[in-house]
Amino acid sequence: EAQVTQNPRYLITVTGKKLTVTCSQNMNHEYMSWYRQDPGLGLRQIYYSMNVEVTDKGDVPEGYKVSRKEKRNFPLILESPSPNQTSLYFCASSSWTGNTGELFFGEGSRLTVL
Amino acid sequence: EDKVVQSPLSLVVHEGDTVTLNCSYEVTNFRSLLWYKQEKKAPTFLFMLTSSGIEKKSGRLSSILDKKELFSILNITATQTGDSAIYLCAVPDPAGGTSYGKLTFGQGTILTVHP
């Protein structure tokens, strides 16, 4: 089954404790990206990757890091989480060569930073 | 900076009503506009629009783009309770000629359909 898998789905952590949210897709997609969703603000892009070893900042990259060492994985790293990073996070992927416009989303990771 | 604005931010209707959701945009390199539906989980793809005046339809949902006035509308006819969701529009700023690069979403419209 074609899917984007995020882990963990729910996490409560404390300020300053490094964490990684993993994202993996099994569709051989070139494009992957991370978003955070906060009430009233819609989805805001954090980082995106056009292909392996190619990443770029979205609208809200501060406090986050990413890496794309393999095509299927695109982890989101919070080196020193702060309470303002409490949010719902989505990973998404697409085969931009298909040009259909469909972005496949993971189920979301709800993060709380105390 | 690219900007995507949706209106209204929320809407409450009764089953059978017709609704129109709006999405206006200001982007540097326009290629396409996307509509998504988000229920309790991840957004799911509805439409991609690239050309003005060509309506996309899927059942009771339809959408059209006006590239001159820089907006799109999403219509839902004969609404049902299952249409209750957040509707998101998004505009990619394509990198190197591809579909995606930076992707800017609007705030979303929360639609509630009462029985």
Side-chain angles (χ1 to χ4, degrees), chain A residues 19-47:
Chain A
L19 69 93
T20 299
V21 186
T22 63
C23 175
S24 180
Q25 49 93 4
N26 63 0
M27 295 169 279
N28 202 36
H29 285 165
E30 296 85 1
Y31 179 90
M32 296 185 76
S33 57
W34 276 102
Y35 304 85
R36 61 178 289 173
Q37 187 172 31
D38 303 288
L41 296 177
L43 284 161
R44 292 181 292 166
Q45 191 177 48
I46 303 171
Y47 271 95

Side-chain angles (χ1 to χ4, degrees), chain B residues 71-110:
Chain B
F71 76 92
S72 173
I73 59 172
L74 176 69
N75 277 319
I76 309 175
T77 58
T79 52
Q80 302 170 357
T81 54
D83 295 326
S84 295
I86 301 173
Y87 289 85
L88 298 157
C89 73
V91 180
D93 184 356
T98 63
S99 298
Y100 288 109
K102 201 171 167 196
L103 185 60
T104 302
F105 280 84
Q107 321 94 300
T109 294
I110 303 172

Side-chain angles (χ1 to χ4, degrees), chain A residues 31 33 35 37 40-45 48 50 57-59 88 90 94 96 98-108, chain B residues 1-2 9 34 36 38 41-45 47-48 86 88 93 95-108:
Chain A
Y31 179 90
S33 57
Y35 304 85
Q37 187 172 31
L41 296 177
L43 284 161
R44 292 181 292 166
Q45 191 177 48
Y48 64 94
M50 301 300 289
K57 296 176 182 178
D59 287 320
L88 178 59
F90 287 103
S94 177
W96 48 259
N99 209 33
T100 62
E102 184 157 9
L103 196 59
F104 292 84
F105 283 85
E107 292 290 297
Chain B
E1 184 178 314
D2 296 344
L9 294 183
L34 313 168
Y36 286 84
Q38 184 180 22
K41 39 189 180 169
T44 53
F45 176 76
F47 300 114
M48 180 172 83
I86 301 173
L88 298 157
D93 184 356
T98 63
S99 298
Y100 288 109
K102 201 171 167 196
L103 185 60
T104 302
F105 280 84
Q107 321 94 300

Side-chain angles (χ1 to χ4, degrees), chain B residues 1 10 24-25 30 37 43 65 68 96 114:
Chain B
E1 184 178 314
S10 65
S24 64
Y25 61 89
F30 182 82
K37 177 183 181 181
L65 175 68
K68 183 179 174 188
H114 287 310

